[in-house]
Amino acid sequence: MKRREIRKHMFRMLYCMEFYEADDREEQAELYLMKVKRQEPFLEEPFGQETPEDYGRNGMAAEATPEEIENIKNRFYAITDRLPEIDELISQTASGWKLNRMGMVDRNLLRLAVYEMRYDDDIPDKVAINEAVELAKTYGGEASGSFVNGVLAKLVANKV
């Protein structure tokens, strides 16, 4: 599984998390990952923007190894454990925008990118920004790509 596919799963899990109580995080993560393990299609996801690389020849999700599933799970928990810090960074950077007023797609892509930029040394800032912008163009509204790019570029400019 490519990093881009793992990133899409991370985004989907963060997005879906918005619909459940914090106490349900582990149960919802397990349900999502079971779907990935069984290679079930994600066509019923709320996005409706799946791309051909999301599926193999059978229309099924790309096969994931147990190690990749564990990696996705660990990264999801790492992000959600740091949500207060990540959300604070986003709030400080996105002047004039309250976190709860941002679109869910934009907010969760920003969360994922900020995590990658601040806590994952294996991912260069440029890559985290580019991937977030591309996902925003696919899953977000007309201005999502520009919005996500602007917030993340400002975050990099203010980085110490």
Side-chain angles (χ1 to χ4, degrees), residues 107-119:
R107 178 173 51 243
N108 286 295
L109 286 171
L110 287 169
R111 287 171 169 166
L112 176 57
V114 168
Y115 171 80
E116 290 180 343
M117 293 166 68
R118 292 294 170 125
Y119 303 105

Side-chain angles (χ1 to χ4, degrees), residues 129-146:
I129 293 170
N130 183 60
E131 291 292 325
V133 169
E134 290 303 313
L135 287 170
K137 289 177 182 177
T138 300
Y139 296 112
E142 202 172 297
S144 290
S146 298

Side-chain angles (χ1 to χ4, degrees), residues 17-127:
M17 182 186 72
E18 298 255 9
F19 297 98
Y20 299 97
E21 298 293 325
D23 296 345
D24 294 335
R25 173 183 79 155
E26 291 172 21
E27 181 181 356
Q28 292 305 316
E30 290 301 322
L31 289 171
Y32 182 91
L33 293 171
M34 277 181 16
K35 191 172 193 169
V36 173
K37 287 177 196 175
R38 291 189 302 224
Q39 294 180 268
E40 293 180 17
F42 288 93
L43 291 175
E44 68 273 21
E45 289 291 328
F47 312 107
Q49 297 288 332
E50 287 74 15
T51 58
E53 69 261 14
D54 289 335
Y55 304 101
R57 287 190 322 207
N58 302 338
M60 303 302 272
E63 185 173 345
T65 65
E67 294 81 22
E68 290 168 335
I69 297 290
E70 192 64 26
N71 179 30
I72 292 169
K73 182 178 180 178
N74 291 338
R75 288 174 59 84
F76 174 72
Y77 289 135
I79 293 169
T80 56
D81 287 345
R82 289 186 170 97
L83 268 186
E85 300 164 45
I86 292 169
D87 285 351
E88 181 62 29
L89 274 171
I90 294 169
S91 293
Q92 290 173 357
T93 306
S95 55
W97 281 91
K98 291 186 179 192
L99 204 61
N100 63 347
R101 299 284 296 169
M102 291 178 190
M104 287 175 51
V105 168
D106 299 349
R107 178 173 51 243
N108 286 295
L109 286 171
L110 287 169
R111 287 171 169 166
L112 176 57
V114 168
Y115 171 80
E116 290 180 343
M117 293 166 68
R118 292 294 170 125
Y119 303 105
D120 191 336
D121 296 331
D122 293 337
I123 301 174
D125 289 352
K126 287 182 180 180
V127 172

